[in-house]
mmCIF file of all heavy atoms in Angstrom:
data_model
loop_
_atom_site.group_PDB
_atom_site.id
_atom_site.type_symbol
_atom_site.label_atom_id
_atom_site.label_comp_id
_atom_site.label_asym_id
_atom_site.label_seq_id
_atom_site.Cartn_x
_atom_site.Cartn_y
_atom_site.Cartn_z
ATOM 1 N N SER A 8 104.334 111.340 113.007
ATOM 2 C CA SER A 8 104.593 111.076 111.588
ATOM 3 C C SER A 8 103.429 111.549 110.728
ATOM 4 O O SER A 8 103.612 112.125 109.663
ATOM 5 C CB SER A 8 104.822 109.580 111.355
ATOM 6 O OG SER A 8 105.917 109.109 112.100
ATOM 7 N N ARG A 9 102.209 111.279 111.204
ATOM 8 C CA ARG A 9 100.984 111.711 110.523
ATOM 9 C C ARG A 9 99.893 111.925 111.560
ATOM 10 O O ARG A 9 99.913 111.325 112.626
ATOM 11 C CB ARG A 9 100.486 110.653 109.525
ATOM 12 C CG ARG A 9 101.381 110.400 108.350
ATOM 13 C CD ARG A 9 100.783 109.391 107.385
ATOM 14 N NE ARG A 9 101.716 109.103 106.302
ATOM 15 C CZ ARG A 9 101.868 109.868 105.227
ATOM 16 N NH1 ARG A 9 101.119 110.945 105.088
ATOM 17 N NH2 ARG A 9 102.751 109.561 104.291
ATOM 18 N N ILE A 10 98.930 112.765 111.199
ATOM 19 C CA ILE A 10 97.706 112.906 111.982
ATOM 20 C C ILE A 10 96.577 112.319 111.135
ATOM 21 O O ILE A 10 96.249 112.844 110.066
ATOM 22 C CB ILE A 10 97.396 114.377 112.332
ATOM 23 C CG1 ILE A 10 98.612 115.046 112.992
ATOM 24 C CG2 ILE A 10 96.167 114.444 113.243
ATOM 25 C CD1 ILE A 10 99.068 114.427 114.296
ATOM 26 N N LEU A 11 96.031 111.216 111.607
ATOM 27 C CA LEU A 11 94.967 110.510 110.889
ATOM 28 C C LEU A 11 93.626 110.734 111.566
ATOM 29 O O LEU A 11 93.559 110.926 112.787
ATOM 30 C CB LEU A 11 95.257 109.009 110.829
ATOM 31 C CG LEU A 11 96.581 108.584 110.178
ATOM 32 C CD1 LEU A 11 96.776 107.089 110.327
ATOM 33 C CD2 LEU A 11 96.614 108.983 108.712
ATOM 34 N N LYS A 12 92.553 110.684 110.781
ATOM 35 C CA LYS A 12 91.191 110.778 111.309
ATOM 36 C C LYS A 12 90.519 109.415 111.102
ATOM 37 O O LYS A 12 90.124 109.061 109.995
ATOM 38 C CB LYS A 12 90.408 111.865 110.561
ATOM 39 C CG LYS A 12 88.919 111.929 110.938
ATOM 40 C CD LYS A 12 88.742 112.491 112.333
ATOM 41 C CE LYS A 12 87.283 112.512 112.751
ATOM 42 N NZ LYS A 12 86.735 111.168 113.056
ATOM 43 N N PRO A 13 90.421 108.591 112.181
ATOM 44 C CA PRO A 13 89.747 107.293 112.039
ATOM 45 C C PRO A 13 88.278 107.487 111.660
ATOM 46 O O PRO A 13 87.598 108.363 112.204
ATOM 47 C CB PRO A 13 89.873 106.683 113.442
ATOM 48 C CG PRO A 13 91.022 107.400 114.083
ATOM 49 C CD PRO A 13 90.961 108.795 113.532
ATOM 50 N N ILE A 14 87.806 106.662 110.706
ATOM 51 C CA ILE A 14 86.415 106.816 110.262
ATOM 52 C C ILE A 14 85.611 105.521 110.328
ATOM 53 O O ILE A 14 84.392 105.564 110.468
ATOM 54 C CB ILE A 14 86.331 107.393 108.824
ATOM 55 C CG1 ILE A 14 87.118 106.534 107.837
ATOM 56 C CG2 ILE A 14 86.825 108.836 108.801
ATOM 57 C CD1 ILE A 14 86.962 106.952 106.378
ATOM 58 N N LEU A 15 86.274 104.358 110.229
ATOM 59 C CA LEU A 15 85.535 103.089 110.223
ATOM 60 C C LEU A 15 86.335 101.981 110.902
ATOM 61 O O LEU A 15 87.567 101.921 110.764
ATOM 62 C CB LEU A 15 85.234 102.639 108.784
ATOM 63 C CG LEU A 15 84.188 103.401 107.963
ATOM 64 C CD1 LEU A 15 84.215 102.897 106.521
ATOM 65 C CD2 LEU A 15 82.795 103.252 108.568
ATOM 66 N N ASP A 16 85.630 101.117 111.608
ATOM 67 C CA ASP A 16 86.177 99.869 112.130
ATOM 68 C C ASP A 16 85.165 98.776 111.837
ATOM 69 O O ASP A 16 83.986 98.911 112.190
ATOM 70 C CB ASP A 16 86.413 99.948 113.644
ATOM 71 C CG ASP A 16 87.558 100.874 113.998
ATOM 72 O OD1 ASP A 16 88.699 100.554 113.646
ATOM 73 O OD2 ASP A 16 87.301 101.914 114.641
ATOM 74 N N PHE A 17 85.609 97.707 111.203
ATOM 75 C CA PHE A 17 84.662 96.628 110.882
ATOM 76 C C PHE A 17 85.415 95.335 110.602
ATOM 77 O O PHE A 17 86.640 95.331 110.395
ATOM 78 C CB PHE A 17 83.807 97.004 109.668
ATOM 79 C CG PHE A 17 84.587 97.334 108.422
ATOM 80 C CD1 PHE A 17 85.039 96.322 107.570
ATOM 81 C CD2 PHE A 17 84.880 98.656 108.087
ATOM 82 C CE1 PHE A 17 85.763 96.616 106.427
ATOM 83 C CE2 PHE A 17 85.608 98.956 106.941
ATOM 84 C CZ PHE A 17 86.049 97.928 106.113
ATOM 85 N N THR A 18 84.677 94.242 110.581
ATOM 86 C CA THR A 18 85.215 92.936 110.214
ATOM 87 C C THR A 18 84.716 92.568 108.827
ATOM 88 O O THR A 18 83.546 92.768 108.507
ATOM 89 C CB THR A 18 84.757 91.857 111.220
ATOM 90 O OG1 THR A 18 85.170 92.242 112.528
ATOM 91 C CG2 THR A 18 85.363 90.503 110.877
ATOM 92 N N ALA A 19 85.612 92.055 107.983
ATOM 93 C CA ALA A 19 85.225 91.631 106.635
ATOM 94 C C ALA A 19 86.066 90.437 106.214
ATOM 95 O O ALA A 19 87.289 90.439 106.409
ATOM 96 C CB ALA A 19 85.387 92.776 105.639
ATOM 97 N N TYR A 20 85.375 89.438 105.671
ATOM 98 C CA TYR A 20 86.047 88.230 105.192
ATOM 99 C C TYR A 20 86.007 88.111 103.675
ATOM 100 O O TYR A 20 86.856 87.459 103.084
ATOM 101 C CB TYR A 20 85.391 86.977 105.807
ATOM 102 C CG TYR A 20 85.495 86.912 107.313
ATOM 103 C CD1 TYR A 20 84.504 87.465 108.121
ATOM 104 C CD2 TYR A 20 86.590 86.300 107.919
ATOM 105 C CE1 TYR A 20 84.598 87.410 109.500
ATOM 106 C CE2 TYR A 20 86.688 86.235 109.306
ATOM 107 C CZ TYR A 20 85.687 86.796 110.098
ATOM 108 O OH TYR A 20 85.784 86.736 111.459
ATOM 109 N N GLN A 21 85.004 88.715 103.057
ATOM 110 C CA GLN A 21 84.797 88.601 101.627
ATOM 111 C C GLN A 21 84.826 89.982 100.965
ATOM 112 O O GLN A 21 84.509 90.987 101.609
ATOM 113 C CB GLN A 21 83.435 87.933 101.331
ATOM 114 C CG GLN A 21 83.275 86.550 101.916
ATOM 115 C CD GLN A 21 84.225 85.538 101.315
ATOM 116 O OE1 GLN A 21 84.693 85.706 100.181
ATOM 117 N NE2 GLN A 21 84.522 84.468 102.058
ATOM 118 N N PRO A 22 85.180 90.040 99.677
ATOM 119 C CA PRO A 22 85.221 91.326 98.960
ATOM 120 C C PRO A 22 83.899 92.091 99.012
ATOM 121 O O PRO A 22 83.898 93.323 99.150
ATOM 122 C CB PRO A 22 85.565 90.919 97.526
ATOM 123 C CG PRO A 22 86.285 89.617 97.670
ATOM 124 C CD PRO A 22 85.668 88.926 98.833
ATOM 125 N N GLU A 23 82.787 91.376 98.944
ATOM 126 C CA GLU A 23 81.479 92.041 98.964
ATOM 127 C C GLU A 23 81.237 92.721 100.316
ATOM 128 O O GLU A 23 80.683 93.831 100.376
ATOM 129 C CB GLU A 23 80.365 91.038 98.674
ATOM 130 C CG GLU A 23 80.380 90.463 97.263
ATOM 131 C CD GLU A 23 81.500 89.431 97.056
ATOM 132 O OE1 GLU A 23 82.014 88.882 98.078
ATOM 133 O OE2 GLU A 23 81.880 89.194 95.899
ATOM 134 N N GLU A 24 81.642 92.042 101.394
ATOM 135 C CA GLU A 24 81.520 92.654 102.731
ATOM 136 C C GLU A 24 82.366 93.920 102.815
ATOM 137 O O GLU A 24 81.933 94.946 103.347
ATOM 138 C CB GLU A 24 82.002 91.676 103.810
ATOM 139 C CG GLU A 24 81.132 90.479 104.077
ATOM 140 C CD GLU A 24 81.778 89.608 105.136
ATOM 141 O OE1 GLU A 24 82.660 88.806 104.802
ATOM 142 O OE2 GLU A 24 81.387 89.744 106.320
ATOM 143 N N LEU A 25 83.583 93.835 102.313
ATOM 144 C CA LEU A 25 84.498 94.981 102.344
ATOM 145 C C LEU A 25 83.890 96.158 101.592
ATOM 146 O O LEU A 25 83.863 97.289 102.106
ATOM 147 C CB LEU A 25 85.831 94.574 101.725
ATOM 148 C CG LEU A 25 86.900 95.662 101.576
ATOM 149 C CD1 LEU A 25 87.297 96.227 102.934
ATOM 150 C CD2 LEU A 25 88.127 95.117 100.844
ATOM 151 N N TYR A 26 83.391 95.917 100.389
ATOM 152 C CA TYR A 26 82.794 96.963 99.562
ATOM 153 C C TYR A 26 81.630 97.628 100.297
ATOM 154 O O TYR A 26 81.549 98.868 100.377
ATOM 155 C CB TYR A 26 82.311 96.341 98.245
ATOM 156 C CG TYR A 26 81.699 97.314 97.272
ATOM 157 C CD1 TYR A 26 82.465 97.914 96.285
ATOM 158 C CD2 TYR A 26 80.335 97.622 97.326
ATOM 159 C CE1 TYR A 26 81.899 98.804 95.370
ATOM 160 C CE2 TYR A 26 79.767 98.510 96.423
ATOM 161 C CZ TYR A 26 80.551 99.096 95.454
ATOM 162 O OH TYR A 26 79.988 99.975 94.560
ATOM 163 N N THR A 27 80.754 96.832 100.880
ATOM 164 C CA THR A 27 79.570 97.361 101.577
ATOM 165 C C THR A 27 79.958 98.169 102.808
ATOM 166 O O THR A 27 79.397 99.243 103.074
ATOM 167 C CB THR A 27 78.635 96.207 101.984
ATOM 168 O OG1 THR A 27 78.259 95.480 100.810
ATOM 169 C CG2 THR A 27 77.394 96.732 102.675
ATOM 170 N N GLN A 28 80.926 97.662 103.567
ATOM 171 C CA GLN A 28 81.352 98.352 104.790
ATOM 172 C C GLN A 28 82.000 99.698 104.486
ATOM 173 O O GLN A 28 81.777 100.684 105.197
ATOM 174 C CB GLN A 28 82.319 97.460 105.581
ATOM 175 C CG GLN A 28 81.688 96.228 106.196
ATOM 176 C CD GLN A 28 80.866 96.550 107.434
ATOM 177 O OE1 GLN A 28 80.740 97.708 107.851
ATOM 178 N NE2 GLN A 28 80.293 95.522 108.047
ATOM 179 N N ILE A 29 82.783 99.741 103.428
ATOM 180 C CA ILE A 29 83.446 101.002 103.051
ATOM 181 C C ILE A 29 82.413 102.080 102.738
ATOM 182 O O ILE A 29 82.595 103.266 103.048
ATOM 183 C CB ILE A 29 84.390 100.781 101.850
ATOM 184 C CG1 ILE A 29 85.616 99.969 102.284
ATOM 185 C CG2 ILE A 29 84.826 102.104 101.229
ATOM 186 C CD1 ILE A 29 86.541 100.669 103.274
ATOM 187 N N LEU A 30 81.284 101.680 102.160
ATOM 188 C CA LEU A 30 80.231 102.635 101.787
ATOM 189 C C LEU A 30 79.476 103.211 102.980
ATOM 190 O O LEU A 30 78.650 104.115 102.809
ATOM 191 C CB LEU A 30 79.239 101.958 100.834
ATOM 192 C CG LEU A 30 79.754 101.716 99.402
ATOM 193 C CD1 LEU A 30 78.738 100.918 98.599
ATOM 194 C CD2 LEU A 30 80.059 103.044 98.711
ATOM 195 N N ARG A 31 79.748 102.718 104.178
ATOM 196 C CA ARG A 31 79.077 103.267 105.367
ATOM 197 C C ARG A 31 79.494 104.703 105.641
ATOM 198 O O ARG A 31 78.820 105.420 106.389
ATOM 199 C CB ARG A 31 79.382 102.401 106.603
ATOM 200 C CG ARG A 31 78.635 101.065 106.634
ATOM 201 C CD ARG A 31 79.172 100.151 107.742
ATOM 202 N NE ARG A 31 79.386 100.890 108.986
ATOM 203 C CZ ARG A 31 80.318 100.589 109.905
ATOM 204 N NH1 ARG A 31 81.128 99.574 109.696
ATOM 205 N NH2 ARG A 31 80.439 101.307 110.988
ATOM 206 N N HIS A 32 80.613 105.124 105.105
ATOM 207 C CA HIS A 32 81.105 106.492 105.340
ATOM 208 C C HIS A 32 80.908 107.341 104.089
ATOM 209 O O HIS A 32 81.031 106.854 102.967
ATOM 210 C CB HIS A 32 82.589 106.465 105.720
ATOM 211 C CG HIS A 32 83.110 107.780 106.198
ATOM 212 N ND1 HIS A 32 82.861 108.272 107.457
ATOM 213 C CD2 HIS A 32 83.857 108.721 105.562
ATOM 214 C CE1 HIS A 32 83.444 109.451 107.591
ATOM 215 N NE2 HIS A 32 84.049 109.757 106.460
ATOM 216 N N ASP A 33 80.624 108.634 104.288
ATOM 217 C CA ASP A 33 80.421 109.562 103.174
ATOM 218 C C ASP A 33 81.729 110.268 102.836
ATOM 219 O O ASP A 33 82.178 111.162 103.560
ATOM 220 C CB ASP A 33 79.345 110.590 103.543
ATOM 221 C CG ASP A 33 79.087 111.590 102.415
ATOM 222 O OD1 ASP A 33 79.573 111.352 101.286
ATOM 223 O OD2 ASP A 33 78.402 112.601 102.672
ATOM 224 N N TYR A 34 82.368 109.864 101.751
ATOM 225 C CA TYR A 34 83.634 110.456 101.334
ATOM 226 C C TYR A 34 83.428 111.722 100.508
ATOM 227 O O TYR A 34 84.362 112.507 100.319
ATOM 228 C CB TYR A 34 84.447 109.429 100.521
ATOM 229 C CG TYR A 34 84.656 108.152 101.279
ATOM 230 C CD1 TYR A 34 83.741 107.104 101.159
ATOM 231 C CD2 TYR A 34 85.721 107.990 102.155
ATOM 232 C CE1 TYR A 34 83.893 105.929 101.880
ATOM 233 C CE2 TYR A 34 85.878 106.818 102.885
ATOM 234 C CZ TYR A 34 84.953 105.800 102.747
ATOM 235 O OH TYR A 34 85.100 104.658 103.483
ATOM 236 N N THR A 35 82.209 111.919 100.039
ATOM 237 C CA THR A 35 81.939 113.072 99.178
ATOM 238 C C THR A 35 81.940 114.391 99.944
ATOM 239 O O THR A 35 81.936 115.452 99.332
ATOM 240 C CB THR A 35 80.580 112.920 98.465
ATOM 241 O OG1 THR A 35 79.517 112.964 99.431
ATOM 242 C CG2 THR A 35 80.514 111.614 97.698
ATOM 243 N N LYS A 36 81.971 114.317 101.287
ATOM 244 C CA LYS A 36 81.972 115.557 102.063
ATOM 245 C C LYS A 36 83.366 116.183 102.162
ATOM 246 O O LYS A 36 83.513 117.314 102.630
ATOM 247 C CB LYS A 36 81.416 115.315 103.464
ATOM 248 C CG LYS A 36 82.243 114.381 104.336
ATOM 249 C CD LYS A 36 81.540 114.136 105.666
ATOM 250 C CE LYS A 36 82.319 113.193 106.566
ATOM 251 N NZ LYS A 36 81.614 112.926 107.834
#
């Protein structure tokens, strides 16, 4: 159906954790 490229796996309980974890990857490339 789709070919996906996994980039992150993490645990997050709060919005701040989610925001910080998402920034671990460089999307600007």
